[in-house]
Amino acid sequence: MNKKEQTTLNRIFSAALQEFLEKGYQSASLRNIVKMAGVTTGAFYGYYKSKEELFEALVGKHYNFLLDRFCKAQKEFAETSPEEQPDKLTSTSGECMYEMLLYAYDHLNECKLILCKSEGTRFSRLIDEMVEIETKGTHDYLKVLENLGRPSPHIDERLEHILITGMFNTFFELIIHEMPLEEAKHYLEAMRTFYTAGWMKLMGQ
């Protein structure tokens, strides 16, 4: 891609980011994006086939980073020996959420698109996907506790879903509200303390 093409692409990205942040994916106008970017519709289609493809280009790699980092933490924890898992529970998840927080602040607008403006795209399911993964991980950990002779009392599946969903919504609220990063770090630690204590109580640990 030559310099002129890169400049045109940058203008499209800038216009698209503004339009999507203001109106959301569903209400955003491709015509407005093209107009704000100062390019012709034909020129736009030389880069992207649709509004959907443009949105994918803006947020896809950021969505993948967040989900992949979360899955990596789950895998690392699952591969820890059963005897070590109870002691590693908070550190593994804490490192993951801290990294995701820093990444989100480095790519704040794109992450806000995913969290607040992606209805109508596959990206709107980020929290749902994380909840599904976390739920499976929780069930696997409960089996580990049982095998260690430390079985957990029964946890109602509906309550489990509510608590896990609430945890992720709480985490992403830090990003949505754009609080100063140092405050967000502090709130993250407080949030982890709160949820860890609650889960340990429910699990009888």
Side-chain angles (χ1 to χ4, degrees):
M1 183 180 294
N2 60 42
K3 186 176 180 179
K4 181 179 178 181
E5 290 173 332
Q6 186 61 56
T7 299
T8 300
L9 188 59
N10 289 342
R11 291 207 309 269
I12 291 172
F13 277 170
S14 179
L17 191 63
Q18 181 179 335
E19 179 77 359
F20 287 133
L21 281 172
E22 181 181 340
K23 299 177 181 176
Y25 172 79
Q26 290 183 314
S27 298
S29 165
L30 197 53
R31 181 179 297 177
N32 284 347
I33 293 171
V34 168
K35 183 178 179 180
M36 284 191 291
V39 300
T40 65
T41 302
F44 171 84
Y45 284 120
Y47 293 95
Y48 300 106
K49 297 176 182 178
S50 63
K51 182 172 73 170
E52 180 180 9
E53 193 172 283
L54 174 58
F55 196 81
E56 173 88 34
L58 278 173
V59 306
K61 67 180 181 180
H62 307 297
Y63 179 91
N64 290 339
F65 176 88
L66 294 173
L67 199 57
D68 290 348
R69 181 62 187 88
F70 181 66
C71 289
K72 179 184 175 184
Q74 294 283 332
K75 184 173 183 291
E76 287 175 353
F77 182 73
E79 291 175 350
T80 302
S81 69
E83 292 76 16
E84 293 180 308
Q85 284 192 20
D87 294 328
K88 294 281 189 178
L89 183 62
T90 58
S91 61
T92 302
S93 63
E95 290 169 8
C96 170
M97 298 188 88
Y98 186 76
E99 282 188 36
M100 289 198 297
L101 182 72
L102 294 183
Y103 183 89
Y105 269 74
D106 283 340
H107 307 89
L108 194 56
N109 284 330
E110 291 83 356
C111 288
K112 286 187 71 175
L113 284 181
I114 295 170
L115 295 169
C116 307
K117 305 292 183 177
S118 62
E119 192 64 37
T121 75
R122 70 183 182 91
F123 305 108
S124 66
R125 293 198 70 254
L126 177 63
I127 290 178
D128 291 335
E129 290 195 56
M130 287 186 167
V131 168
E132 291 172 8
I133 295 166
E134 179 71 14
T135 299
K136 182 183 181 304
T138 300
H139 292 171
D140 291 343
Y141 180 61
L142 291 175
K143 291 177 183 176
V144 167
L145 290 177
E146 185 175 358
N147 291 335
L148 290 173
R150 299 165 56 179
S152 167
H154 173 72
I155 302 175
D156 183 88
E157 289 186 3
R158 291 168 298 179
L159 175 61
E160 179 185 55
H161 179 81
I162 290 169
L163 292 175
I164 292 174
T165 302
M167 180 183 69
F168 286 114
N169 281 324
T170 300
F171 171 68
F172 285 119
E173 281 288 300
L174 303 176
I175 297 155
I176 291 169
H177 291 294
E178 298 184 39
M179 64 178 57
L181 180 56
E182 290 308 310
E183 287 185 25
K185 291 177 183 178
H186 171 72
Y187 288 145
L188 175 59
E189 286 302 312
M191 182 199 84
R192 288 185 54 242
T193 299
F194 175 83
Y195 277 101
T196 297
W199 277 111
M200 291 299 100
K201 181 71 174 178
L202 287 176
M203 292 178 177
Q205 303 301 307

